[in-house]
Amino acid sequence: KNQVEQSPQSLIILEGKNCTLQCNYTVSPFSNLRWYKQDTGRGPVSLTIMTFSENTKSNGRYTATLDADTKQSSLHITASQLSDSASYICVVSAMSNYQLIWGAGTKLIIKP
Amino acid sequence: KAGVTQTPRYLIKTRGQQVTLSCSPISGHRSVSWYQQTPGQGLQFLFEYFSETQRNKGNFPGRFSGRQFSNSRSEMNVSTLELGDSALYLCASSPEIVDEQFFGPGTRLTVL
């Protein structure tokens, strides 16, 4: 069964600190993996999208990694800011029908 | 380019009524997807349209339906509303099915 699991479910860190969010998937055959940021009550905004051949992609202070062999991805946030408080969602696309499998998200809270 | 627009932004209905939500994708985008997000929950996929054809469908009852017009605008309809239908309904568009999705601000539906 195609699934995407994220950990931790929630995370609280102090402003300025770094953090890493995890995503494990069982989607096969794999097409691409996306990370989205969703502020409360708003639509998700794309951070990165990676295909099979890419193992690192950065977007400012956000760096995503992908290990297609172990089917794991991580999102690293450097020097966190209060505006980083949001839910971060991992989404994997299945090549067979291009259906997107959504993770439940990690709720990140940045405290001053 | 204008982003994805959704109307209305807020809606209050009573049980048993029906509702129609509208989504205008980014110009040139042919794929439109709909999602339901209940408080504290991840995004639940409703359906995806591409060139007026439903390409993928999530696990929702038949009360939820949608369509796409020749100009790529899409509508979704929920009949016989239930209290549990209260949610944020998000629309996302992309140039093609496999591409990055861009989300609208959502329609917040409250069923009393």
Side-chain angles (χ1 to χ4, degrees):
Chain A
K1 183 183 176 184
N2 288 334
Q3 281 186 315
V4 175
E5 293 184 352
Q6 293 188 243
S7 62
Q9 197 170 27
S10 62
L11 182 62
I12 301 174
I13 64 172
L14 292 175
E15 185 180 10
K17 297 295 186 183
N18 303 335
C19 67
T20 300
L21 315 180
Q22 300 290 342
C23 172
N24 295 339
Y25 62 92
T26 58
V27 178
S28 182
F30 172 88
S31 176
N32 59 61
L33 184 145
R34 312 159 188 216
W35 282 95
Y36 282 89
K37 176 187 178 188
Q38 185 179 23
D39 293 316
T40 302
R42 308 191 69 164
V45 174
S46 178
L47 294 175
T48 65
I49 178 169
M50 290 187 291
T51 59
F52 184 89
S53 59
E54 297 172 295
N55 53 24
T56 301
K57 205 157 196 179
S58 291
N59 179 356
R61 295 179 295 103
Y62 301 102
T63 300
T65 65
L66 172 64
D67 185 334
D69 291 331
T70 61
K71 299 187 176 179
Q72 295 180 324
S73 176
S74 65
L75 181 69
H76 185 76
I77 304 174
T78 305
S80 61
Q81 300 176 358
L82 297 178
S83 59
D84 292 332
S85 293
S87 287
Y88 291 84
I89 309 171
C90 174
V91 188
V92 181
S93 174
M95 189 177 287
S96 52
N97 58 3
Y98 302 112
Q99 188 171 7
L100 298 179
I101 316 300
W102 289 74
T106 292
K107 187 175 175 65
L108 177 64
I109 298 172
I110 311 297
K111 292 207 163 181
Chain B
K1 255 185 188 178
V4 178
T5 57
Q6 292 187 244
T7 56
R9 292 293 313 279
Y10 301 91
L11 203 50
I12 299 175
K13 292 284 188 178
T14 55
R15 277 183 301 174
Q17 287 187 309
Q18 78 163 23
V19 66
T20 298
L21 311 182
S22 181
C23 171
S24 292
I26 292 172
S27 177
H29 287 195
R30 297 196 291 166
S31 173
V32 174
S33 298
W34 288 90
Y35 296 87
Q36 181 198 65
Q37 187 173 36
T38 48
Q41 300 297 311
L43 274 72
Q44 302 296 317
F45 172 71
L46 281 156
F47 23 67
E48 176 178 30
Y49 288 89
F50 182 80
S51 292
E52 301 180 69
T53 301
Q54 188 180 89
R55 296 297 294 265
N56 278 308
K57 189 177 188 303
N59 217 11
F60 277 80
R63 300 185 297 107
F64 292 81
S65 63
R67 59 178 175 168
Q68 186 181 33
F69 302 96
S70 58
N71 62 358
S72 293
R73 191 178 69 85
S74 177
E75 287 182 348
M76 68 162 280
N77 185 277
V78 188
S79 62
T80 319
L81 284 166
E82 300 176 358
L83 294 179
D85 296 333
S86 294
L88 180 67
Y89 289 86
L90 291 161
C91 166
S93 78
S94 59
E96 305 288 337
I97 287 177
V98 299
D99 293 327
E100 176 184 356
Q101 291 186 320
F102 296 84
F103 283 81
T107 293
R108 182 161 298 283
L109 171 65
T110 302
V111 182
L112 303 176

